[in-house]
Amino acid sequence: MQQRQLWRATRPLGLLAIAATLAACGGGGGNNGFSFAGTAPPAPGNPAPPSTGAPAFKAEIRRTAMGVPHIKAADWGGVGYGYGYAQAQDNLCTMADAFLTYRGERSKNFGADALLVYPGTIGRPKNIESDFFHKHVLSSETIDAFAQAQPDKLKQLVEGFAAGYSRYVRDLKGGGEAGAHAACRGEAWVAPIAAGDIWRRLYAANLTAGYGNFVTQIASAVAPASTAGQAQASARALRRAQGTQLAALRTQPPKAPALEVGGKHGVGSNMYAFGTAGTGDDSALQFGNPHWYWRGPDRFYQAQLTIPGELDVSGASFLGVPLILIGFNQNVAWSHTVSAARRFGLYELVLAEGDPTSYLRDGKPVKMKPSTIAVDVKGGPAQTRTLYKSEYGPLINLAGMSPALAWSPRTAFAIRDINADNFRAFRTWLRWDQAKSLDEFIAIQREEAGIPWVNTTAVGRGSAKAWYADITAVPNVSPQQTARCTTAVGQLLATALERVPVFDGSRSECDWQTDPDSVQKGAVGPSRMPSLLRDDYVANMNASAWLTNPNERLTGYPAIFGGVETGFTTRSRLGHLMAQGRLNGTDGYAGKTATAATVQRMVLDSRVYTAERFKAQVLALVCAVPRIDVAAYNDPYLGDTPAGSVRTAEACAALRAWDDTDNIDARGAHVWDEFWGRVENAIPKNDLYAVPFSTEDPLNTPREIRGSAADALRQAFGAALMRVEASPYPVNAPRGDYLFVTRNGRKIPLFGGMSDLTGVFTTTATFNRLDRGGYSLDGDSVIANSYMQIVRFPAGKVEADTFLTYSLSDDPASAHHADYTRAYSAKQWLRVPYTEAEIAADPAYRSVALSE
């Protein structure tokens, strides 16, 4: 109620001088005078607004139920202005913290050794590593080139967004909205921003599946001392060093780094697109559900952006992004899941003798490009490093994988990210936001091939078929090139770096290839990327493209996209079984079509596939003994379990009575979580299943638990019971007691589970332990259902039902900090208004006009 009263009290303010605002920003953050970020004159292509006496930016922000903002303006700068203001009003502290990250100013404000506040697509490195990474990779030169390559509409959006955010900061600092954002409003680092801050944020998002997985490794890639002047006999010594290196890698295999978006365990998503044969009426249906971060700069924000006659798009974007990334307009709806394709490769560089910062290419030395970077540190002296880039990309320190891979006098490694040179991503989304048909949407995707690291499904008004594609930016490496260019070290890294090309950087023939229809140098062309149109359904749950629809396999694509088993988890299997059960009418719901009402229920029903499939078999084995003596047990994922002894009867009774779901009132589900998580992590699949996975029968294999696995299963079950006994939750506790999120001191019970461990389509993944406060989503490590949408296009209408599961605002003082979360807990979808009439008729409607 307090936030709503504050909103109503907000008055349109008079004209302000935007040039003065940007000058007051004092930004730049050590970006070498980059004009977008500091107080220098605007860069070409981003002129200052003309001094006409008219407002530079005008917008109307209409709020409806759950606080969803509907931004309306006459032009692109205005709609960006309203969107920047709205995002800041709801999530200021998170956004202000993130802009420090992208500028490389975390150490300056919070100290060098502290970790990033929020986990996200770059993990949680130390501030000092994050700062060097961002100053190095998001250099002035790179961001300037990225910004200049964008269309004028996007430039205007960015300028407006930065101005709108800055306007809110000024209003708050001037005493507005008392009590809002108490955690940060008085901090000096909460300050106005400039367009450069948004360009950095956009470019950083591009790198999520490449450089973003190697922040510390890139930030710490410092050259060894020069060996110039040493004896000429070093050639023989270097050959001996190479032999020693290979022997070391054979003796001690290198550690696998985190290659997935989101780190070791990755993040995922579910999406369906049903054609009219699947829906049974004249409209296709799109379901989208990213499993994404509940906190931090990468969380989604829901909004509608409207420029009458030019733009009318609703959906979600990351914080700090001024356009819709997943959503719908009058004629098209789309969603994304993280793709299995690799987006980067490594190049092993042969260094020039005596000079570790020069490498040989076709027999000629090439000097690396140095950047000496200074990072200010709170409470101490500035730190300085000289970091290097090659023509492939930045140098990378792989010593964490193995000391044998450290930058040496003979060799170094560079990393190439296909998206470092992909300036088309946000242009693609900008065009999609305005697409007038599914055909146009598909044509844009083929023309741009610019989506950086996600699969896409889409449906359109009047189109009977549903679309899937992984038409994205992907390195182009053929099997023939891989055979002749993979180095000896690269061959030994194949297991740790699955499907990552590790090529010889000393030969130009090992440059990534360019297809005739490639949009980008070194990229696979759109004609060789997987896509599919179906009138029943297409789906992706983070597997490779091959089983988009089991009735039409997609094969024959470059290996870098992933093979038939890549990412095919129990969640993927259940997702397809759910779709088939819906269209076959065998899932227990009425009819045989994917209506919006039925899809709403089935995607939240929290079925646990592994329990449905294996519970009876494994209980027959583990419950055959009344007591289990558990050896000391260490699970790298679930943690240590001490040796002990447990009785099985009570837990076995609870599991037999359990309904095999992760719904709020399900009793016994946590026992299965603890048990099956250990089964997945500790028992090799060949030892567990009598019938292994088969690509000929992917939805029904693996199956049949081996009797010979009884001892291993009992140990896992015993360790699980010890964990449950160490917690305050009895074996028949309802799930909502221990799976919850706390908002303003009140627990909100939740449903769902650890999808890829237990096979749950409805994902609520937290890495908090049951015996340490339950599966609470109050901590930082949360990846769960986030922005969800079900969209269809009946004649003359747009019907969209949505959730933003964690609510719109991260500010505890906001009325929209928990309202959407409570609705999600109750499985009460929001029919989000889309037309002007629907927006104005919403019972929660309120509006404010802004100008500057």
Side-chain angles (χ1 to χ4, degrees), residues 570 608-615 672 676 680 689 757-759:
T570 50
V608 181
Y609 171 82
T610 55
E612 292 179 355
R613 202 64 185 260
F614 306 120
K615 185 177 78 170
W672 190 262
W676 202 260
E680 283 286 315
Y689 300 112
L757 280 182
T758 59

Side-chain angles (χ1 to χ4, degrees), residues 396-735:
I396 182 169
N397 175 13
L398 298 180
M401 291 181 65
S402 168
L405 299 175
W407 190 339
S408 73
R410 179 192 174 275
T411 60
F413 290 88
I415 183 170
R416 181 176 179 186
D417 185 336
I418 191 70
N419 285 304
D421 299 317
N422 171 18
F423 294 172
R424 308 175 307 284
F426 294 95
R427 183 171 72 198
T428 303
W429 276 303
L430 183 72
R431 295 179 67 188
W432 276 353
D433 285 359
Q434 305 168 82
K436 296 179 176 60
S437 68
L438 182 61
D439 287 344
E440 181 183 352
F441 183 96
I442 293 169
I444 291 167
Q445 190 167 19
R446 292 191 184 281
E447 289 167 12
E448 300 284 4
I451 295 300
W453 40 267
V454 288
N455 301 288
T456 302
T457 58
V459 301
R461 184 182 300 278
S463 296
K465 294 185 176 181
W467 168 251
Y468 161 83
D470 191 356
I471 298 178
T472 49
V474 179
N476 188 8
V477 293
S478 67
Q480 296 79 13
Q481 186 185 34
T482 299
R484 69 174 182 268
C485 285
T486 301
T487 64
V489 169
Q491 293 172 8
L492 294 175
L493 293 179
T495 300
L497 297 171
E498 183 184 7
R499 291 184 290 113
V500 175
V502 183
F503 282 4
D504 184 351
S506 70
R507 294 182 285 150
S508 58
E509 65 173 313
C510 296
D511 292 349
W512 294 346
Q513 300 167 331
T514 304
D515 280 342
D517 64 336
S518 291
V519 182
Q520 178 181 343
K521 183 179 179 182
V524 179
S527 64
R528 292 203 302 127
M529 298 188 195
S531 64
L532 184 63
L533 276 166
R534 296 277 304 189
D535 64 4
D536 53 357
Y537 84 96
V538 292
N540 187 269
M541 284 68 71
N542 305 113
S544 63
W546 75 285
L547 211 68
T548 297
N549 183 295
N551 296 318
E552 188 172 352
R553 310 283 179 93
L554 297 180
T555 58
Y557 294 96
I560 201 166
F561 282 89
V564 294
E565 293 186 51
T566 303
F568 198 71
T569 60
T570 50
R571 172 168 56 92
S572 298
R573 186 171 293 111
L574 177 60
H576 283 292
L577 290 171
M578 287 167 56
Q580 292 187 344
R582 176 78 304 261
L583 301 187
N584 294 335
T586 58
D587 60 357
Y589 298 112
K592 296 184 178 182
T593 57
T595 66
T598 304
V599 173
Q600 285 179 23
R601 294 176 65 189
M602 74 183 225
V603 300
L604 296 182
D605 67 7
S606 300
R607 291 169 57 184
V608 181
Y609 171 82
T610 55
E612 292 179 355
R613 202 64 185 260
F614 306 120
K615 185 177 78 170
Q617 296 177 62
V618 297
L619 289 187
L621 296 173
V622 302
C623 298
V625 295
R627 178 184 293 276
I628 298 173
D629 293 323
V630 184
Y633 190 98
N634 177 53
D635 186 290
Y637 180 71
L638 297 170
D640 296 340
T641 300
S645 181
V646 291
R647 294 186 179 275
T648 62
E650 188 179 9
C652 288
L655 285 177
R656 290 190 182 104
W658 173 45
D659 66 359
D660 299 346
T661 77
D662 278 341
N663 283 312
I664 284 173
D665 58 356
R667 294 180 177 271
H670 58 312
V671 180
W672 190 262
D673 287 332
E674 295 294 333
F675 172 41
W676 202 260
R678 288 167 171 80
V679 170
E680 283 286 315
N681 288 330
I683 305 178
K685 287 180 171 51
N686 289 339
D687 295 340
L688 181 63
Y689 300 112
V691 180
F693 174 77
S694 169
T695 58
E696 298 303 312
D697 190 15
L699 301 188
N700 295 294
T701 57
R703 63 175 182 267
E704 305 301 328
I705 300 296
R706 290 183 182 274
S708 58
D711 287 342
L713 286 166
R714 288 169 185 161
Q715 283 296 304
F717 192 58
L721 297 189
M722 290 187 67
R723 176 64 53 83
V724 174
E725 289 181 356
S727 80
Y729 307 104
V731 293
N732 64 346
R735 193 158 187 79

Side-chain angles (χ1 to χ4, degrees), residues 77-424:
V79 82
Y81 180 71
Y83 198 25
Y85 190 98
Q87 283 200 15
Q89 186 171 47
D90 289 327
N91 296 279
L92 178 66
C93 295
T94 297
M95 295 177 72
D97 179 89
F99 290 132
L100 296 178
T101 300
Y102 307 131
R103 285 200 297 266
E105 295 182 349
R106 301 199 62 81
S107 299
K108 175 182 177 181
N109 289 278
F110 307 125
D113 292 332
L115 303 181
L116 266 66
V117 176
Y118 307 103
T121 55
I122 63 169
R124 288 189 73 188
K126 288 185 177 181
N127 287 337
I128 193 67
E129 306 302 336
S130 173
D131 289 342
F132 277 116
F133 171 84
H134 285 95
K135 284 176 174 287
H136 184 41
V137 173
L138 277 62
S139 66
S140 302
E141 179 182 22
T142 297
I143 300 304
D144 202 6
F146 176 73
Q148 297 301 337
Q150 305 309 315
D152 288 341
K153 292 176 181 178
L154 184 54
K155 292 176 181 177
Q156 292 160 23
L157 268 176
V158 166
E159 291 281 355
F161 190 98
Y165 174 95
S166 299
R167 162 67 180 277
Y168 181 76
V169 171
R170 295 197 310 274
D171 288 354
L172 193 75
K173 294 281 189 176
E177 297 202 3
H181 307 293
C184 70
R185 65 182 294 154
E187 300 292 341
W189 49 266
V190 178
I193 61 171
D197 291 291
I198 306 303
W199 292 123
R200 281 189 289 269
R201 194 277 174 269
L202 297 181
Y203 186 73
N206 250 20
L207 308 178
T208 292
Y211 293 164
N213 284 323
F214 298 96
V215 169
T216 298
Q217 294 92 326
I218 291 172
S220 62
V222 178
S226 172
T227 57
Q230 294 183 6
Q232 192 76 19
S234 61
R236 179 179 297 176
L238 291 177
R239 284 195 296 272
R240 285 198 302 269
Q242 181 184 27
T244 301
Q245 177 190 43
L246 296 175
L249 292 172
R250 292 188 186 101
T251 302
Q252 186 67 43
K255 298 177 183 177
L259 299 180
E260 310 302 329
V261 173
K264 177 181 178 182
H265 301 289
V267 294
S269 306
N270 297 329
M271 60 183 178
Y272 292 129
F274 289 96
T276 56
T279 63
D281 59 21
D282 292 335
S283 175
L285 180 148
Q286 170 71 50
F287 164 68
N289 178 21
H291 304 153
W292 206 245
Y293 303 96
W294 275 37
R295 292 173 182 79
D298 295 313
R299 73 183 238 157
F300 284 107
Y301 184 89
Q302 183 177 356
Q304 181 175 352
L305 309 179
T306 302
I307 304 172
E310 192 165 6
L311 175 73
D312 200 5
V313 63
S314 183
S317 63
F318 299 151
L319 292 176
V321 173
L323 70 170
I324 298 301
L325 304 181
I326 291 177
F328 56 93
N329 61 26
Q330 179 68 29
N331 297 295
V332 184
W334 70 96
S335 193
H336 298 303
T337 63
V338 175
S339 164
R342 295 290 185 228
R343 311 291 167 173
F344 69 96
L346 298 176
Y347 277 91
E348 184 176 358
L349 307 180
V350 177
L351 303 181
E353 186 172 337
D355 183 1
T357 61
S358 293
Y359 59 96
L360 301 179
R361 182 171 163 89
D362 295 332
K364 298 180 179 179
V366 178
K367 194 70 178 172
M368 299 174 191
K369 182 179 179 180
S371 295
T372 300
I373 299 168
V375 171
D376 292 334
V377 177
K378 182 179 181 179
Q383 294 191 26
T384 301
R385 295 179 189 173
T386 299
L387 302 175
Y388 292 85
K389 293 179 181 176
S390 69
E391 63 199 278
Y392 306 109
L395 276 289
I396 182 169
N397 175 13
L398 298 180
M401 291 181 65
S402 168
L405 299 175
W407 190 339
S408 73
R410 179 192 174 275
T411 60
F413 290 88
I415 183 170
R416 181 176 179 186
D417 185 336
I418 191 70
N419 285 304
D421 299 317
N422 171 18
F423 294 172
R424 308 175 307 284

